[in-house]
């Protein structure tokens, strides 16, 4: 049975038990009322969306529901790559809301699992657990187990709250919500036959730990609300009605069967990746990278990680989650990066490949989850952009990391004695073999091919470990520096180092990060990572101390400071382009973050000047993309790296400089940023508190705000929001910025923080009167009236469940209004009226147009009447009317033919039209003429043939076309002879 069949069977089985199918909830944990469940990052179980139903706070469409829920659980992310762990999976569930309870739930589970008509699992391979004092569940399972010929004591085991109360740890630290004791079902997957005869709880626990029993299903008997308050340890617990749990209004059932796992069992597979859910994904991976799953165990692991992560990524994006630096977005970003890294390192994917694997996911799951296909463009584009950005970051940091790792390895070899290393065999060619050949340590210092060196060396750590217990480690400070300078992410450093057999001191990294954050506090609490460009050569004045830039741009937009780092950008031929990345000690330039774009402006020094066209940051450094505009020295463009290095070594650029932000542009940015806060507040007031920011762009010429909301806004809602924002602007409210506020205090004041966003202990809070209170590191106006007119341009969909508003302020909206007025004026001028009279004038014009059209129709009929002017001749007892037209159209020709034929039963009418290089013939034959043998279709065909064309039709009416205008007259003249021949 395939997984797809299993999904259908499950839903069908529960339909036969009176359940209604219900769609999967979003991976963003919204409940059925549209409220976000703040206790969770992702939807990880079928019951999440149904919490209001269990509580009796909302009424379900039916007391029995069944569905297949999309789930993401990231707790075991490090284990993904083995044969069983997944971050994305589907959970099949059946739910009762105050309807059936334990007895039926257990009976249904037993029937579905063991009945030949359904899964037909062998009862000998099943075991069950119940909560320790749930005698009822024990007794209910016992009936089935005994009927199948087994001793209940050998098959059903009582366990504690860690495994048999859901959610796990509900009494101590689990997420709050509806909960209850549960009963899990296990399948015997080991090669040896399942246990028979006496089998104790201890036997069961041992075999379960050894992975022989695989959990496939869990029935939860929902009865209580766990409020999240800790149980008083002094108060003894009684039964499972322990302190901290409030009874719910009724008893319910929530079950969850793992689709992938159960399909694995049913298919007799060793791994979830062998099921039909993954085959198309591996096929797409092979098309994208050339690697065929199954070819090599080491690389299979990487392929599995990619296959898991692509499913999670695709489903996340389809549910409106976008890669970012916080919360769900950060998890998504990490998954994408990890998969890309695996593809690049293990499968040799040199070009972006991850978005191509999407096709496999759609093939496997698109028939059940239509959003995957519907949102193809958004998904593919998001994956593609994220991979491209990540690859840029990698290029920049990679060489530095290799150098670091090689130097660690070298160092350790020196210290541990060379013996293990020298035992390595020489295999192949290259400098490493040369070195091995000489068996000399001094060669170690001359190695320049770090990658090759690391490959060779990673094989001998085990032997070195015998010599010395200490394994090689990359210092945290070093790992941090890579992140700080290049935006090289820690997890990537860890992965790459692990490949060389080297560990990273993650604690040391965290410490270095914290120190740097403290040093750069005031720059911005919201830490954003940006990749720097390739081919950089970074020089800093004080290279020992970790350089940091301090942002002073809240107060100054013109500031005298020092240049601390400069790195030229080279082209493909490795020649200087005249473009640099520079960094200032104190900088008035705002670095792109929190949606606000980076500042532009200029940097002037003695004898040189830079145009700054963007500002961004990597960890503690704020970088400017800059073009050398003036330089009193040699032309920098086209120099090669050594020459430019010499130039930089002279220190000519490391002088006092004056940094000036483009103020007009910055002011427009401030207007749009404050307006974004007002818009956020107005949306929450107008639409409800479920609205949260899902992304924003604050640019000088417009703003874009993405927010969570399930449906399109009605026009009057848009108008109301716009009105609220404009009212707040007109109130001329001062904007207060509270710097360096303890996070607790800001929260207490009710500041809006982005859910899942990582904030430091101290934050910056931006307050607009009573209207808005948000944590924010961006730039704002001093007083709302500076914003000017706020104008919403449109409201549209950004992703499923996410809406997007684009709007203008200040100069942008004035310009927009001017443009609109200009258009109106032009339109009015065309109609010789004033803009105010335009609707009336247009109405009038349309009326005239309608009348003109009618008149035209009338004239046409008249023209036809007067145009019917045919050559009439007698052919036997019949009459032949032939007319040639040199202009007009088919409609006119037909009308004329009608007119000529009207009231003449013995007439044959032929109208020819020669216009626009084409010939058309229309023929009508009256009933008397037909009786004499005249046939319109045959006649017109013969005539058209003469003009190089063809056609034909009925005896009474036919048309045909010709190609040769020169034959027009001759064709018409032939009509008479041809007609005679027909009679
Ligand atoms: N909520 C339970 C689980 O996740 C059963 O669906 O295991």
């Amino acid at each position: 049975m395939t997984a797809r069949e299993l999904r259908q069977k499950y839903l069908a089985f529960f339909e036969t038990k009176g359940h209604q199918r219900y769609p999967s909830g979003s991976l963003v944990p919204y409940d059925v009322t549209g409220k976000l469940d703040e206790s969770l990052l992702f939807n990880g179980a079928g019951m999440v969306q149904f919490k209001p139903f269990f509580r009796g706070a909302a009424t379900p469409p039916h007391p029995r529901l069944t569905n297949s829920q999309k789930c993401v659980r990231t707790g075991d992310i490090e284990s993904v790559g083995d044969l069983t762990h997944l971050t994305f999976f589907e959970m099949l569930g059946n739910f009762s809301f105050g309807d059936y309870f334990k007895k039926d739930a257990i009976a249904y589970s037993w029937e579905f699992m063991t009945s030949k008509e359904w899964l037909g699992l062998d009862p000998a391979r099943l075991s069950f657990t119940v909560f320790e004092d749930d005698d009822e569940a024990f007794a209910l399972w016992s009936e089935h187990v005994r009927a199948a010929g087994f001793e209940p004591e050998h098959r059903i085991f009582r366990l504690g709250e860690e495994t048999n109360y859901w959610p796990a740890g509900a009494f101590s630290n689990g997420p709050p919500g509806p909960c209850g004791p549960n009963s899990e079902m296990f399948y015997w997957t080991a090669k040896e036959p399942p246990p028979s005869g006496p089998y104790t709880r201890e036997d069961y626990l041992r075999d379960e730990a050894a992975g022989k029993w695989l959990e496939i299903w869990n029935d939860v008997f929902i009865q209580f609300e766990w409020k999240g308050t800790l149980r008083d340890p002094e108060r003894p617990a009684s039964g499972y009605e322990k302190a901290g749990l409030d009874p719910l209004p009724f008893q319910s059932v929530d079950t969850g069967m793992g689709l992938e796992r159960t399909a694995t069992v049913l298919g007799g597979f060793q791994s979830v990746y062998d099921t039909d859910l993954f085959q198309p994904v591996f096929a797409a991976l092979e098309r994208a990278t050339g690697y065929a799953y199954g070819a090599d165990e080491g690389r299979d692991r990487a392929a599995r990680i990619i296959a898991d992560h692509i499913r999670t990524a695709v489903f996340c994006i389809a549910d409106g989650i976008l890669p970012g630096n916080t919360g769900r977005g950060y998890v998504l970003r990490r998954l994408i990066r990890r998969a890309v890294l695996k593809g690049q390192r293990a499968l040799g994917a040199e070009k972006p490949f991850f978005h191509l694997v999407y096709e496999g996911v759609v093939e496997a799951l698109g028939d059940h989850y239509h959003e995957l296909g519907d949102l193809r463009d958004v998904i593919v584009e998001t994956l593609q952009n994220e991979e491209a950005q990540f690859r840029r970051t990698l290029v920049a940091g990679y060489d530095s990391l290799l150098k670091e790792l090689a130097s660690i390895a070298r160092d350790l070899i020196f210290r541990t004695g060379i013996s293990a290393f020298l035992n390595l065999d020489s295999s192949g060619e290259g400098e490493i073999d040369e070195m091995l050949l000489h068996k000399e340590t001094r060669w170690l210092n001359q190695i320049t091919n770090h990658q090759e060196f690391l490959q060779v060396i990673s094989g001998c750590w085990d032997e070195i470990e015998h010599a010395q217990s200490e394994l090689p480690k990359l210092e945290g400070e070093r790992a941090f520096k890579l992140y700080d300078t290049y935006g090289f992410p820690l997890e990537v450093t860890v992965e790459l180092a692990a490949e060389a057999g080297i560990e990273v001191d993650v604690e040391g990294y965290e410490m270095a990060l914290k120190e740097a954050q403290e040093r750069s506090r005031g720059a911005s609490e919201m830490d954003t990572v940006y990749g720097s460009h390739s081919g950089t050569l970074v020089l800093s004045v004080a290279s020992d101390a970790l350089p940091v830039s301090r942002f002073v741009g809240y107060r100054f937009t013109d500031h005298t400071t020092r240049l601390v780092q400069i790195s030229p950008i080279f082209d493909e031929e490795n020649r200087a382009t005249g473009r640099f990345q520079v960094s200032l000690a104190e900088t008035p330039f705002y670095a792109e973050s929190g949606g606000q774009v980076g500042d532009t402006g200029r940097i002037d020094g003695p004898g040189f000047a830079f145009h700054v066209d963007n500002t961004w940051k990597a960890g503690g450094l704020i970088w400017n993309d800059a073009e050398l505009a003036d330089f009193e020295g040699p032309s920098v463009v086209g120099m090669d790296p050594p020459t430019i290095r010499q130039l930089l070594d002279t220190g000519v650029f490391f002088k006092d400089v004056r940094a000036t932000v483009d103020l007009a542009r910055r002011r427009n940015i401030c207007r749009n940023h404050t307006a974004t806060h007002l818009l956020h507040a107005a949306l929450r007031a107008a639409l409800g508190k479920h609205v949260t920011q899902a992304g924003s762009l604050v640019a000088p010429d417009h703003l874009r705000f993405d927010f969570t909301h399930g449906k399109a806004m009605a026009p009057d809602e848009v108008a109301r929001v716009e009105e609220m924002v404009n009212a707040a602007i007109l109130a001329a409210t001062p904007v207060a910025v509270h710097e360096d506020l303890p996070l607790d205090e800001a929260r207490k004041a009710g500041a809006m923080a982005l859910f899942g966003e990582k904030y430091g202990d101290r934050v910056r809070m931006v307050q607009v009167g009573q209207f808005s209170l948000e944590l924010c590191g961006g730039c704002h106006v001093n007083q709302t009236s500076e914003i000017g007119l706020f104008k919403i341009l449109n409201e549209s969909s950004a992703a499923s469940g996410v809406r997007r508003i684009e709007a203008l302020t200040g100069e942008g909206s004035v310009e927009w209004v001017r443009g609109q007025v200009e258009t109106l004026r032009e339109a009015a001028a065309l109609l010789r009226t004033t803009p105010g009279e335009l609707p009336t004038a247009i109405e009038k014009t349309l009326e005239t147009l309608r009348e003109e059209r009618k008149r035209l129709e009338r004239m046409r009929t008249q023209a036809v009447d007067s145009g019917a002017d045919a050559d009439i001749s007698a052919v036997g007892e019949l009459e032949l009317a032939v007319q040639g037209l040199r202009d007009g159209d088919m409609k006119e020709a037909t009308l004329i033919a009608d007119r000529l034929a009207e009231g003449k039963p013995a007439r044959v009418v032929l109208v020819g039209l020669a216009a626009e290089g084409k010939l058309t013939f229309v023929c009508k034959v009256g009933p008397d003429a037909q009786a004499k043998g005249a046939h319109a279709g045959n006649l017109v065909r013969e005539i058209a043939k003469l003009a190089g064309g063809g056609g034909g039709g009925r005896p009474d009416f036919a048309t045909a076309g010709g190609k040769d205008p020169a034959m027009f007259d001759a064709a018409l003249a032939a009509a008479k002879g041809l007609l005679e021949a027909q009679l």
Side-chain angles (χ1 to χ4, degrees):
M1 188 186 303
T2 65
R4 284 157 145 172
E5 284 161 7
L6 170 61
R7 197 197 286 126
Q8 284 318 316
K9 270 212 166 172
Y10 187 97
L11 300 174
F13 172 78
F14 281 100
E15 271 176 341
T16 70
K17 303 292 179 201
H19 291 64
Q20 215 172 64
R21 289 192 198 211
Y22 198 87
S24 169
S26 166
L27 281 175
V28 181
Y30 293 112
D31 68 22
V32 284
T33 68
K35 199 171 147 291
L36 185 69
D37 190 332
E38 306 262 350
S39 68
L40 299 167
L41 201 52
F42 290 99
N43 196 334
M47 62 83 74
V48 168
Q49 63 172 337
F50 296 136
K51 286 181 187 178
F53 293 163
F54 289 121
R55 290 175 174 136
T59 314
H62 196 269
R64 300 175 175 216
L65 298 180
T66 179
N67 77 354
S68 179
Q69 170 68 44
K70 313 177 260 192
C71 296
V72 166
R73 291 188 186 172
T74 55
D76 290 330
I77 206 165
E78 301 305 330
S79 310
V80 172
D82 67 5
L83 300 180
T84 53
H85 285 89
L86 295 172
T87 56
F88 173 87
F89 64 98
E90 290 174 73
M91 190 183 278
L92 300 166
N94 55 289
F95 304 90
S96 148
F97 307 103
D99 194 45
Y100 63 87
F101 198 48
K102 278 181 208 180
K103 184 169 163 38
D104 290 334
I106 287 175
Y108 294 157
S109 292
W110 177 268
E111 182 184 345
F112 184 64
M113 285 189 298
T114 59
S115 158
K116 291 271 174 295
E117 199 185 325
W118 302 99
L119 299 192
L121 296 176
D122 177 4
R125 301 183 87 96
L126 294 175
S127 69
F128 312 88
T129 62
V130 298
F131 184 54
E132 51 204 0
D133 50 13
D134 194 349
D135 298 334
E136 193 187 348
F138 191 94
L140 289 166
W141 281 121
S142 299
E143 283 174 34
H144 300 290
V145 166
R146 205 175 282 123
F150 299 93
E151 268 311 307
E153 272 67 29
H154 303 161
R155 277 292 179 270
I156 312 168
F157 308 100
R158 295 173 186 261
L159 298 178
E161 66 190 56
E162 282 313 317
T163 54
N164 283 64
Y165 210 94
W166 206 90
F171 301 142
S172 45
N173 56 6
C179 64
N182 66 331
S183 180
E184 299 185 336
M185 291 147 257
F186 292 80
Y187 188 80
W188 180 261
T189 56
K191 290 235 163 58
E192 73 244 37
S196 59
Y199 188 70
T200 64
R201 182 174 180 274
E202 281 59 46
D203 295 334
Y204 160 80
L205 288 173
R206 180 200 58 228
D207 286 346
E208 203 269 329
K212 295 178 181 174
W213 289 111
L214 182 73
E215 184 202 335
I216 55 174
W217 204 350
N218 182 17
D219 286 357
V220 186
F221 312 116
I222 301 271
Q223 298 162 73
F224 302 105
E225 174 85 21
W226 158 242
K227 291 229 154 113
T229 35
L230 283 179
R231 181 179 64 192
D232 178 357
E234 299 303 311
R235 237 173 90 184
S238 70
Y240 47 76
E241 295 180 38
K242 297 186 178 180
L245 300 177
D246 289 348
L248 288 169
F250 42 75
Q251 296 178 324
S252 297
V253 170
D254 147 39
T255 90
M257 169 178 265
L259 173 74
E260 292 80 359
R261 280 189 182 188
T262 310
T264 307
V265 165
L266 291 169
F269 299 124
Q270 285 304 304
S271 146
V272 287
Y273 292 95
D274 294 335
T275 61
D276 53 306
L277 296 171
F278 285 92
Q279 296 316 313
V281 180
F282 287 125
L285 181 64
E286 183 175 352
R287 288 196 296 275
T289 65
Y291 179 71
Y293 181 62
D296 168 82
E297 178 41 37
R299 293 200 280 168
D300 278 353
R301 192 181 163 80
R304 285 192 291 265
I305 290 175
I306 297 168
D308 170 76
H309 290 4
I310 185 70
R311 297 195 335 147
T312 314
V314 164
F315 274 95
C316 279
I317 298 168
D319 277 343
I321 302 167
L322 296 173
N325 291 321
T326 55
R328 288 178 270 276
Y330 184 61
V331 174
L332 174 59
R333 170 161 286 168
R334 275 196 61 186
L335 290 172
I336 297 176
R337 288 184 160 184
R338 187 149 176 256
V340 166
L341 201 64
K342 290 292 167 197
Q344 196 196 37
R345 310 277 307 145
L347 308 187
E350 270 160 29
K351 288 209 213 66
F353 71 98
F354 198 49
H355 63 285
L356 300 172
V357 192
Y358 155 83
E359 298 301 339
V361 182
V362 184
E363 206 183 305
L365 293 155
D367 58 339
H368 193 77
Y369 299 102
H370 294 180
E371 63 270 32
L372 302 187
D374 293 347
L375 293 166
R376 166 179 301 261
D377 292 350
V378 183
I379 297 171
V380 170
E381 200 180 305
T382 305
L383 293 173
Q384 219 168 354
N385 289 345
E386 186 66 14
E387 177 164 5
Q389 188 195 327
F390 180 52
R391 280 179 183 261
R392 283 197 293 274
T393 307
L394 278 182
V395 169
Y398 186 55
D399 284 346
S400 294
L401 175 59
L402 279 185
K403 242 180 254 171
E404 292 276 0
L405 294 176
S407 102
I408 293 170
R410 203 165 14 227
D411 204 53
L412 201 81
I413 291 169
F414 280 139
R415 279 194 288 124
T416 56
I418 199 72
S419 59
F421 179 61
L422 292 185
N423 283 337
L424 283 175
D425 279 338
S426 168
S427 57
E429 287 161 22
E431 57 180 327
I432 309 292
D433 298 307
E434 179 85 348
M435 176 187 78
L436 291 170
L437 207 70
H438 286 76
K439 307 236 183 249
E440 275 190 42
T441 50
R442 68 185 164 84
W443 281 91
L444 280 172
N445 279 331
Q446 288 165 24
I447 294 164
T448 54
N449 187 339
H450 303 295
Q451 191 165 8
E452 194 190 340
F453 171 60
L454 284 169
Q455 257 161 26
V456 172
I457 208 68
S458 64
C460 70
W461 293 129
D462 280 351
E463 296 184 48
I464 289 178
E465 203 183 359
H466 293 305
Q468 182 166 331
S469 58
E470 175 196 353
L471 264 183
K473 241 189 182 163
L474 177 70
E475 280 169 43
E477 181 79 19
R478 295 272 164 197
F480 175 68
K481 203 159 174 188
L482 279 168
Y483 161 72
D484 201 38
T485 315
Y486 302 104
F488 207 70
L490 175 70
E491 60 269 18
V492 179
T493 303
V494 170
E495 295 254 7
L496 292 177
E499 280 175 25
I502 295 174
E503 236 182 274
V504 178
D505 170 15
V506 175
E507 242 167 65
Y509 170 91
E510 303 284 358
M511 254 162 62
L513 174 68
K514 212 162 165 193
E515 271 168 36
Q517 272 171 346
E518 263 152 35
R519 260 188 307 232
S520 64
R521 174 181 305 148
S524 168
E525 295 291 341
M526 290 172 214
D527 191 40
T528 318
V529 184
Y530 285 97
S532 67
H533 302 259
S534 59
T536 50
L537 165 75
V538 181
L539 277 193
S540 63
V541 192
S543 54
D544 289 344
L546 198 65
V548 272
S549 318
R550 205 160 72 79
F551 178 62
V552 297
Y554 294 132
R555 296 178 55 204
F556 310 110
T557 50
D558 187 336
H559 192 65
T560 301
T561 178
R562 253 172 345 100
L563 233 157
V564 289
Q565 298 230 22
I566 178 164
S567 72
I569 309 286
F570 299 99
D571 64 15
E572 276 174 10
E573 266 104 58
N574 228 2
R575 297 159 73 80
T577 55
R579 294 190 57 83
F580 290 78
Q581 289 173 352
V582 300
S583 189
L584 305 175
E586 290 183 330
T587 180
F589 293 104
Y590 182 85
E592 179 179 348
S593 103
Q596 182 178 328
V597 300
D599 276 334
T600 64
R602 48 186 296 138
I603 299 172
D604 293 279
F608 66 88
F610 285 110
H611 281 308
V612 171
D613 45 40
N614 195 15
T615 309
W616 44 279
K617 63 185 169 185
L621 273 185
I622 295 175
W623 290 93
N624 297 115
D625 288 335
E627 172 129 30
L628 194 58
D630 278 316
F631 180 48
E632 289 172 5
S635 165
V636 175
V637 179
M639 283 184 177
D640 54 16
T643 323
I644 206 152
R645 176 158 209 139
Q646 273 170 11
L647 174 73
L648 290 171
D649 276 343
T650 63
V652 55
F653 289 115
F654 294 104
K655 297 273 166 62
D656 281 347
V657 296
R658 184 169 164 201
T660 320
V661 175
D662 179 340
L663 191 58
R665 184 173 174 277
R666 163 73 87 77
R667 285 218 168 107
N668 282 329
I669 292 173
C670 290
R671 290 186 175 109
N672 280 331
H673 205 154
T674 309
T676 303
H677 286 208
L678 296 179
L679 174 60
H680 191 182
L683 284 168
R684 285 170 71 96
L687 304 178
K689 294 281 175 269
H690 63 279
V691 167
T692 43
Q693 177 165 348
S696 72
L697 172 70
V698 178
D701 55 345
H702 75 298
L703 70 90
R704 194 176 71 205
F705 187 73
D706 293 349
F707 58 100
T708 52
H709 184 53
K711 52 177 194 277
M713 287 172 71
D716 65 316
E717 287 175 327
V718 176
R720 203 166 131 233
V721 164
E722 190 177 87
E723 219 173 275
M724 286 166 81
V725 173
N726 278 315
I729 291 171
L730 290 178
T733 315
V735 177
V737 176
H738 309 270
E739 302 277 0
D740 207 20
L741 203 67
L743 180 61
D744 279 353
E745 224 167 276
R747 281 208 203 285
K748 240 176 262 156
M752 233 176 330
L754 299 188
F755 177 64
E757 179 91 53
K758 210 176 50 196
Y759 293 100
D761 305 338
R762 304 184 77 83
V763 294
R764 184 170 185 266
M765 184 169 78
V766 176
Q767 176 177 18
V768 190
Q770 298 297 306
F771 207 73
S772 144
L773 201 59
E774 270 191 55
L775 301 188
C776 176
C779 301
H780 291 270
V781 298
N782 296 311
Q783 199 244 58
T784 55
S785 64
E786 285 172 46
I787 296 172
L789 171 66
F790 172 79
K791 182 73 210 150
I792 293 181
L793 289 188
N794 57 53
E795 192 270 350
S796 59
S797 159
S800 86
V802 180
R803 306 297 302 171
R804 165 169 295 176
I805 281 184
E806 280 167 295
L808 302 174
T809 67
E811 292 183 345
S813 55
V814 169
E815 192 46 49
W816 182 84
V817 169
R818 205 201 330 266
Q820 298 287 307
V821 170
E822 197 45 49
T823 310
L824 278 179
R825 249 198 221 118
E826 277 171 25
L830 288 173
L831 292 176
R832 298 191 200 297
T833 181
T834 59
E837 293 295 316
L838 204 47
T840 325
I842 290 176
E843 191 38 58
K844 244 170 69 208
T845 311
L846 287 175
E847 187 53 43
T848 318
L849 215 58
R850 277 193 288 272
E851 269 163 22
E852 283 301 309
R853 217 172 267 146
K854 275 190 216 145
R855 209 164 63 89
L856 199 65
E857 255 335 282
R858 279 199 304 274
M859 277 171 66
R860 192 172 213 166
T861 323
Q862 281 165 14
V864 167
D865 287 347
S866 56
D869 175 22
D871 278 343
I872 314 244
S873 52
V875 179
E877 287 165 45
L878 305 183
E879 224 177 38
L880 172 67
V882 177
Q883 182 164 0
L885 299 172
R886 294 280 170 186
D887 64 55
D889 54 19
M890 183 68 181
K891 190 170 173 197
E892 220 164 300
T894 315
L895 283 172
I896 289 178
D898 286 347
R899 182 55 38 99
L900 289 170
E902 213 175 312
K904 308 269 192 224
R907 198 179 252 192
V908 173
V909 175
L910 176 70
V911 178
L913 170 66
E916 290 163 10
K918 279 190 321 198
L919 305 181
T920 314
F921 301 98
V922 180
C923 183
K924 293 199 75 160
V925 175
D928 294 356
Q930 282 176 51
K932 291 266 179 306
H935 189 288
N938 298 343
L939 184 61
V940 88
R941 180 177 324 109
E942 294 304 316
I943 290 170
K945 248 192 222 160
L946 295 172
R954 305 193 318 240
D956 61 330
F957 176 79
T959 62
K963 296 203 185 93
D964 186 358
M967 290 300 293
F968 186 54
D969 291 335
L972 291 178
K976 193 161 181 198
L978 289 168
L979 177 59
E980 274 164 357
Q982 285 191 345
L983 302 179

